[in-house]
Amino acid sequence: MSTFNGLPAHVLFVHFIVVLAPLTAALAILCAVWPAARQRLVWLVAALALATAVLTPLTTEAGEWLEHRVESSAQLHAHTELGDTMIYFSAALLVAAALLVVLHIRESRGRSVSTVLSVAVAVLVAAAGVATVVQVYRIGDSGAKATWADVPMVPSGTVGDGD
């Protein structure tokens, strides 16, 4: 998909990733460290991680379509290179969610889960979650710079100040 209602699809899809990836990461970390949260939220986390994993390649494909239709720059190149890495972070988040589901199923069937396993999963989930949030920030920051760096800003008080 290249455009939606006249707008580049990338501009729309990116908002899903910017919201879903950090939300999924935060909920996954919460589920990893708090069993009561895992009991209630694990399936939501799994669904959000799957949605993020599906939307990530759609977003990058739409971004590559857009890249070929705008003026090239070093900042745009940096953004697209960073954007291409997001699939790895989305995949890590999906694996983290799957590990949480495995823990949840074991616990719900009355099987004991060793402390070592719980801690190992929590560390992996936290690493995937934090890395995902950091990467979303880096990609978004580079995209904002690629889009807005050369746009002159109007000094405050000169536009729409009621005069």
Side-chain angles (χ1 to χ4, degrees):
M1 175 183 287
S2 55
T3 62
F4 181 79
N5 202 23
L7 292 174
H10 179 71
V11 175
L12 301 171
F13 282 142
V14 76
H15 289 86
F16 288 116
I17 300 302
V18 166
V19 171
L20 288 180
L23 175 64
T24 305
L27 290 175
I29 292 168
L30 182 66
C31 288
V33 299
W34 189 18
R38 181 168 55 241
Q39 210 171 27
R40 294 177 183 202
L41 299 174
V42 71
W43 296 111
L44 174 63
V45 170
L48 291 173
L50 182 60
T52 302
V54 168
L55 287 169
T56 295
L58 293 175
T59 304
T60 56
E61 285 178 30
E64 290 184 16
W65 177 88
L66 181 58
E67 175 188 17
H68 297 296
R69 283 154 182 82
V70 298
E71 188 177 329
S72 185
S73 71
Q75 292 167 325
L76 179 61
H77 180 71
H79 174 64
T80 57
E81 290 296 313
L82 281 172
D84 286 341
T85 67
M86 187 59 201
I87 191 65
Y88 302 113
F89 294 88
S90 294
L93 207 51
L94 186 59
V95 169
L99 291 171
L100 291 170
V101 167
V102 168
L103 279 184
H104 173 70
I105 290 172
R106 287 185 60 90
E107 291 167 344
S108 67
R109 291 185 177 166
R111 294 185 178 159
S112 65
V113 176
S114 73
T115 303
V116 172
L117 179 60
S118 291
V119 169
V121 168
V123 168
L124 290 171
V125 169
V130 169
T132 298
V133 171
V134 168
Q135 193 66 355
V136 166
Y137 171 81
R138 292 178 67 218
I139 295 167
D141 183 59
S142 69
K145 286 177 180 171
T147 303
W148 297 103
D150 295 330
V151 176
M153 302 302 285
V154 177
S156 64
T158 59
V159 175
D161 61 0
D163 289 339

